Amino acid sequence: MQITSQTFKANSVKALADVDLQRALGNVERGFIDKRQKAVDALPEFDALRDNAVAIKNHTLKHLDLYIEAYVAKVQASGGIVHFAEDADHANQIFLDIARRRKAKTVTKGKTMISEEIGFNAFLEKNGIVPIETDLGEYIIQLRGEHPSHIIAPAVHVNRDQVEADFRRVHVDLDPMRSLVEPEMLLGEARQILRQKYGEADIGVTGANFLIAETGSSVIVTNEGNGDLTQLLGKCHVVLASIEKLVPTLEDMAQILRILARSATGQDMSVYTTLSTGPKRPEDPDGPDEYHVILIDNGRSNMLGTEFEDMLRCIRCGACMNHCPVYHAVGGHSYGWVYPGPMGAVLTPSLIGVDKSGHLPNASTFCGRCESVCPMRIPLPKMMRHWREKEFESHLQPTTQRAGLGVWAFFARHPKLYRAAVSIAMPLLNRAGGSKRRFASLPLAGGWTKWRDLPAPEGKTFMQQYAARTNGAEH
Ligand code: SF4
């Protein structure tokens, strides 16, 4: 995917004016928040499970080399092969070598965000291999030539009418007079088309929610069953997974699973939790002849031992974006790269550099909802602040912004001066607000006043008002 994170502001302006998108984004708030809360309320041990999950992941990250070693040994013992990929190009090339050897022409795919990260589909197409997305949301956006706008609901930005129009445009062999008015009809049609593809595919590609060191298994968690068909009916199963998906044992996975679906969709559990361990054994009725895992680093090992290590606990549940007012307003495509919302605002600079994605950690109100709902207790606002600091230290912001921050930093270090300055400024700004007590424009605040007016200060500072109230001497 082309990196366009620096276009966040321009993308957001367009997104805010897009009526269809704004209507679709309402589904994020309606569809996820209440359901998550109900699921959490119904599980008294939810917070204890979160603590356990954090401990499991922290422990794994601390000993990642050992768990990778143990995992590889188990995969090999089960007849599978693990390939290490340093970066996106390396991962794609490994896959291409497998595909060429098998003379593969078509590849079915379960939903995998890491494939988006490495630009997998575009790479396959460039090399004459047809990728077929089998997750319904992914299938829809593939037809539209788009990328996911949400990590668990990739087509959340698309409405029913748009899907119908896309199906009629692409499924030209079907009866043009067929009815597609109900969502179930759209689902049925996608299923009818995709069912043929699984068995025909030369390779089935899935991601992994977990890799289990104890057993050498890869685990996918889905609601549609498409991932199971992808990995079972293809003649060769290739897992694309990043290194932080490791957990030590099945028991560890089971603990984290209990908070994953509840945080993501408000379900107690997703419909399918499927473990794959190696290729088909002689006694198995079905399964792939070959089983490969491409274990991808792509910048993650650089995060270990840094202030961004906590981000590697992420289990891609999407709760942070489901609760983010910025995501609700502008949607996932505005973020310009693979991962949107608060987790993207932290992960994207870690993976592609803050010089290319500095807008993202700045696109936050710091309301803290993301951290409060994150099942893995990832301190997202704190890490966004770290990125802002790094951006400042690297002189990446415009000069005016740096100057403003410099002035602010000076006053923050001299609280007496700050109080004196604001006690002079507040009454002046209060008077300048005129009878309406609002500013339609204000120097250095154009980013705000371009879109909305700004209330004038009350005339007294917060501290002055607070002192007056606590002394019982309001004027
Ligand atoms: S950062 Fe937390 S809330 Fe966001 S996707 Fe990752 S685990 Fe879920």
Side-chain angles (χ1 to χ4, degrees):
M1 187 188 283
Q2 205 190 356
I3 297 164
T4 54
S5 298
Q6 291 293 26
T7 58
F8 179 81
K9 281 189 186 173
N11 295 345
S12 301
V13 171
K14 258 197 246 157
L16 287 164
D18 184 333
V19 178
D20 285 339
L21 175 66
Q22 290 301 317
R23 203 171 297 132
L25 286 173
N27 295 332
V28 176
E29 282 187 85
R30 285 189 296 275
F32 291 112
I33 295 178
D34 285 353
K35 285 186 191 153
R36 174 198 168 273
Q37 195 55 52
K38 277 190 192 126
V40 169
D41 291 345
L43 187 71
E45 67 268 38
F46 186 78
D47 276 336
L49 284 167
R50 285 169 92 185
D51 293 337
N52 279 355
V54 171
I56 290 166
K57 275 287 189 181
N58 283 348
H59 168 82
T60 315
L61 291 170
K62 214 158 242 104
H63 306 284
L64 195 55
D65 50 345
L66 296 179
Y67 285 115
I68 288 179
E69 217 173 285
Y71 170 74
V72 171
K74 287 289 180 183
V75 175
Q76 287 170 346
S78 66
I81 302 170
V82 179
H83 311 258
F84 291 97
E86 204 176 316
D87 56 24
D89 291 344
H90 193 191
N92 285 327
Q93 192 55 49
I94 292 168
F95 182 83
L96 187 62
D97 292 344
I98 299 169
R100 289 252 158 92
R101 182 173 50 72
R102 294 190 62 94
K103 300 188 175 33
K105 292 273 176 269
T106 59
V107 169
T108 44
K109 283 182 68 207
K111 191 174 147 335
T112 135
M113 288 309 292
I114 189 78
S115 82
E116 293 289 334
E117 187 183 315
I118 64 174
F120 189 66
N121 285 10
F123 177 82
L124 292 193
E125 282 163 3
K126 210 168 83 191
N127 286 282
I129 300 172
V130 180
I132 302 157
E133 296 288 353
T134 63
D135 171 271
L136 179 62
E138 292 279 352
Y139 178 66
I140 291 167
I141 59 170
Q142 187 180 30
L143 298 185
R144 297 170 63 81
E146 293 176 344
H147 294 284
S149 63
H150 189 289
I151 60 172
I152 63 163
V156 74
H157 60 285
V158 183
N159 63 41
R160 200 212 62 83
D161 292 347
Q162 291 169 313
V163 178
E164 178 177 347
D166 289 324
F167 279 18
R168 290 194 186 283
R169 174 175 56 81
V170 178
H171 302 159
V172 286
D173 293 342
L174 299 180
D175 178 4
M177 302 306 288
R178 69 195 185 281
S179 174
L180 290 173
V181 289
E182 296 297 332
E184 292 74 23
M185 294 170 176
L186 295 167
L187 179 64
E189 181 161 314
R191 186 176 282 157
Q192 179 191 341
I193 300 279
L194 289 170
R195 279 287 152 102
Q196 300 159 14
K197 311 282 185 190
Y198 294 111
E200 295 165 11
D202 300 300
I203 301 180
V205 173
T206 67
N209 291 86
F210 303 96
L211 301 173
I212 317 283
E214 181 186 29
T215 59
S217 311
S218 53
V219 184
I220 55 168
V221 178
T222 69
N223 278 322
E224 297 174 19
N226 64 300
D228 302 61
L229 294 173
T230 300
Q231 63 189 33
L232 273 177
L233 299 184
K235 296 158 198 83
C236 168
H237 178 196
V238 177
V239 180
L240 301 175
S242 47
I243 54 174
E244 79 277 17
K245 300 290 177 179
L246 258 294
V247 290
T249 65
L250 287 169
E251 171 61 31
D252 294 329
M253 174 200 71
Q255 298 237 11
I256 302 176
L257 268 182
R258 295 187 69 197
I259 54 173
L260 173 57
R262 286 180 167 91
S263 301
T265 51
Q267 294 165 281
D268 291 349
M269 288 284 283
S270 300
V271 179
Y272 302 95
T273 299
T274 309
L275 286 79
S276 301
T277 313
K280 180 171 126 178
R281 295 164 301 182
E283 65 272 28
D284 289 337
D286 47 31
D289 304 331
E290 284 183 35
Y291 175 82
H292 298 263
V293 180
I294 304 180
L295 200 51
I296 303 168
D297 185 326
N298 208 27
R300 280 141 178 98
S301 53
N302 293 336
M303 295 165 69
L304 289 168
T306 71
E307 62 269 61
F308 302 108
E309 180 174 306
D310 289 342
M311 193 63 225
L312 295 173
R313 291 202 301 266
C314 176
I315 53 173
R316 307 290 190 267
C317 70
C320 55
M321 59 200 74
N322 294 343
H323 291 75
C324 174
V326 177
Y327 181 94
H328 291 168
V330 302
H333 286 157
S334 297
Y335 290 78
W337 203 58
V338 181
Y339 302 106
M343 58 81 74
V346 175
L347 190 59
T348 305
S350 304
L351 299 183
I352 68 172
V354 70
D355 55 327
K356 296 195 186 78
S357 56
H359 282 164
L360 304 188
N362 285 289
S364 170
T365 61
F366 279 175
C367 65
R369 277 179 102 189
C370 51
E371 182 175 354
S372 70
V373 296
C374 175
M376 303 305 289
R377 300 196 190 281
I378 297 173
L380 294 155
K382 186 174 95 181
M383 288 191 286
M384 282 184 241
R385 260 200 313 276
H386 286 318
W387 277 124
R388 293 183 188 187
E389 284 159 19
K390 288 196 183 295
E391 195 187 24
F392 185 81
E393 284 160 10
S394 308
H395 294 256
L396 291 168
Q397 292 140 321
T399 319
T400 45
Q401 193 177 342
R402 288 184 57 74
L405 285 170
V407 171
W408 176 255
F410 171 81
F411 279 114
R413 284 194 300 268
H414 300 86
K416 279 191 186 149
L417 260 181
Y418 171 80
R419 280 189 204 121
V422 288
S423 62
I424 294 167
M426 288 305 111
L428 292 177
L429 284 168
N430 176 264
R431 274 200 288 281
S435 58
K436 287 191 177 159
R437 294 278 183 269
R438 303 189 85 81
F439 297 105
S441 68
L442 202 60
L444 301 176
W448 177 280
T449 55
K450 188 173 172 193
W451 306 105
R452 57 188 87 75
D453 58 6
L454 183 73
E458 291 287 319
K460 286 193 166 47
T461 68
F462 173 81
M463 294 299 280
Q464 286 168 335
Q465 292 184 57
Y466 180 72
R469 284 194 188 195
T470 49
N471 292 336
E474 277 197 67
H475 307 283

